Amino acid sequence: MSDKRTEIADLGEFGLIDRIKSNFSLQNLTSLKGIGDDAAVIGIGKENLLVSTDMLIEGPHFDLSYVPLQHLGYKAVAVNVSDIAAMNGKPEQIVISLGLSNRFSLEAVDALYDGIRAACQNYKVDLVGGDTTSSPSGLVISITVIGRVENEKTVLRSGAKVNDIICVTGDLGAAFMGLQILEREKQVFQSNPEMQPDLEKYEYLVGRQLKPEARMDIVYELEEQNIVPTSMIDISDGLASELFHLGKNSNVGIKIFEDKIPIDSMAFETAVEFKIDPITTALNGGEDYELLFTINPSDFEKIKNHPDIHFIGHTHDNPNQNVMISKQGTVVPLLAQGWRHF
Ligand code: ADP
Ligand code: MG
């Protein structure tokens, strides 16, 4: 090692992952897709195994002063299942690694696992193992999920073609606004503990933050319609950053229309209340866990009336041009911000 020191923040999360990836090559024929998608793809014959892992750490990812442990358990499973959904697969097993400090009682661990069990039942996954260790301070929960998908139905980030239609499920930005509400109420409570938090009005937003769902329903519905998306990713970091990943991996450009981006009315109003441009919450908010995918235009007829799938734009042949057409008709370059952990 030389004396040179480079800050990880200079690379950012994506730069760091690219660097790790470039230093490894795959040695086994069964490793069909390594680093760089929502899950790794492992060939086992007519089907592929899908493996993905996500770690949540107290502090950067959650604040136990307003996150109930039961919800945390549910969310930790849901965000993993979401990565399997993003491959068009079905989750089957999870393993859980837990770092616990002596701040946590048996009752607290029970509450966490109540949420985990609820998610396992909802997504039909089995908890098959894990690891338990002590953690010097906060709670660490790391989940690995294993799923399965038929070979020809496996959807990567890299399959979009020119002129595919870009689709997004549900609505965007609400989870981010839910977090802003929770943070604000925490501040209010800290400065005046007599004040009870006023969360009822914001129930939908807070729910989107605390108890996200993986869109397995969409995976099943696309299957019923005989649609295999050409590319897919789940929206964990914000629409702009995920569009950037799809475009870059598929070597296509992105064109979306601001007026087509689904934003819930409560999220919109609350963003205005917080003096945040509502479109920014959708583009850069994160934690929506909706699915972003592209379809061949020939599949459009089959889902054009789906109440929860929105058609926000299309791909084009210039990979260097990712743009949004604003409500006023101006061309805005799309910048991938993503989360800044470092
Ligand atoms: P997602 O947001 O879908 O969970 P990430 O952005 O976390 O995806 O990860 C992108 C890709 O990089 C995935 O293939 C993931 O497995 C891989 N990856 C992330 N961190 C590491 C790491 N420390 N070492 C190796 N691969 C990693
Ligand atoms: Mg993902």
Side-chain angles (χ1 to χ4, degrees):
M1 248 169 81
S2 70
D3 291 338
K4 184 162 174 271
R5 181 192 154 92
T6 310
E7 299 303 326
I8 290 172
D10 295 343
L11 275 114
E13 184 187 356
F14 302 149
L16 177 64
I17 293 172
D18 280 347
R19 185 186 167 87
I20 295 171
K21 184 181 172 184
S22 68
N23 288 331
F24 284 82
S25 55
L26 299 173
Q27 305 173 65
N28 292 297
L29 287 174
T30 47
S31 304
L32 299 182
K33 178 79 206 178
I35 296 172
D37 218 299
D38 292 282
V41 181
I42 298 165
I44 51 162
K46 285 187 185 140
E47 292 185 311
N48 291 323
L49 277 184
L50 303 168
V51 182
S52 183
T53 192
D54 254 301
M55 179 156 60
L56 297 176
I57 294 186
E58 189 176 350
H61 294 117
F62 58 88
D63 181 335
L64 287 175
S65 63
Y66 56 72
V67 176
L69 282 163
Q70 218 169 323
H71 286 168
L72 181 66
Y74 192 96
K75 180 169 176 172
V77 178
V79 302
N80 274 279
V81 170
S82 181
D83 277 322
I84 299 298
M87 308 299 291
N88 204 30
K90 293 168 189 158
E92 292 184 346
Q93 289 88 18
I94 53 168
V95 292
I96 303 185
S97 297
L98 214 53
L100 284 171
S101 74
N102 57 12
R103 261 196 309 128
F104 293 87
S105 62
L106 177 61
E107 288 71 21
V109 176
D110 278 348
L112 182 72
Y113 273 82
D114 282 345
I116 290 170
R117 193 176 328 99
C120 284
Q121 278 162 2
N122 190 18
Y123 298 117
K124 301 185 176 57
V125 296
D126 297 319
L127 170 61
V128 294
D131 191 25
T132 310
T133 170
S134 63
S135 149
S137 55
L139 176 64
V140 179
I141 171 164
S142 171
I143 300 191
T144 299
V145 62
I146 299 163
R148 215 148 40 120
V149 61
E150 290 165 47
N151 296 354
E152 61 276 16
K153 291 187 176 168
T154 309
V155 179
L156 303 178
R157 294 177 177 180
S158 54
K161 304 280 183 290
V162 171
N163 285 332
D164 278 354
I165 298 172
I166 303 174
C167 314
V168 65
T169 62
D171 62 74
L172 303 177
F176 176 78
M177 288 321 302
L179 182 62
Q180 304 313 306
I181 295 291
L182 288 165
E183 289 284 348
R184 181 176 75 183
E185 295 308 318
K186 183 185 173 188
Q187 302 286 333
V188 172
F189 183 77
Q190 278 175 341
S191 54
N192 183 359
E194 304 286 293
M195 290 269 288
Q196 282 305 305
D198 165 30
L199 294 179
E200 217 164 281
K201 181 179 157 203
Y202 304 104
E203 198 183 341
Y204 177 68
L205 307 181
V206 170
R208 292 280 285 167
Q209 169 61 222
L210 293 181
K211 202 172 174 285
E213 291 287 2
R215 297 306 306 258
M216 283 307 302
D217 57 328
I218 297 289
V219 174
Y220 287 106
E221 284 177 35
L222 291 174
E223 183 177 39
E224 275 167 32
Q225 297 292 336
N226 244 321
I227 296 177
V228 178
T230 52
S231 70
M232 185 147 61
I233 187 168
D234 69 327
I235 303 181
S236 51
D237 290 345
L239 179 64
S241 142
E242 317 303 1
L243 281 168
F244 175 83
H245 287 310
L246 284 194
K248 187 177 166 209
N249 284 286
S250 299
N251 200 29
V252 294
I254 302 288
K255 185 176 195 177
I256 58 164
F257 297 86
E258 182 181 2
D259 63 348
K260 303 283 185 215
I261 297 173
I263 302 177
D264 165 77
S265 58
M266 182 76 288
F268 191 99
E269 283 167 32
T270 310
V272 172
E273 184 189 327
F274 275 74
K275 300 194 167 50
I276 301 171
D277 186 351
I279 197 67
T280 307
T281 69
L283 289 175
N284 302 316
E287 294 204 283
D288 296 304
Y289 298 103
E290 295 294 342
L291 291 173
L292 171 67
F293 58 96
T294 52
I295 55 167
N296 187 294
S298 63
D299 282 329
F300 177 64
E301 269 307 300
K302 297 189 227 169
I303 50 168
K304 69 175 186 195
N305 294 320
H306 194 292
D308 217 22
I309 298 178
H310 309 278
F311 307 96
I312 63 167
H314 59 84
T315 55
H316 60 82
D317 65 6
N318 184 350
N320 298 316
Q321 214 176 70
N322 294 331
V323 296
M324 179 174 77
I325 308 302
S326 76
K327 285 178 182 161
Q328 292 77 33
T330 53
V331 180
V332 188
L334 274 177
L335 302 172
Q337 288 196 328
W339 280 120
R340 299 226 169 85
H341 303 291
F342 301 108

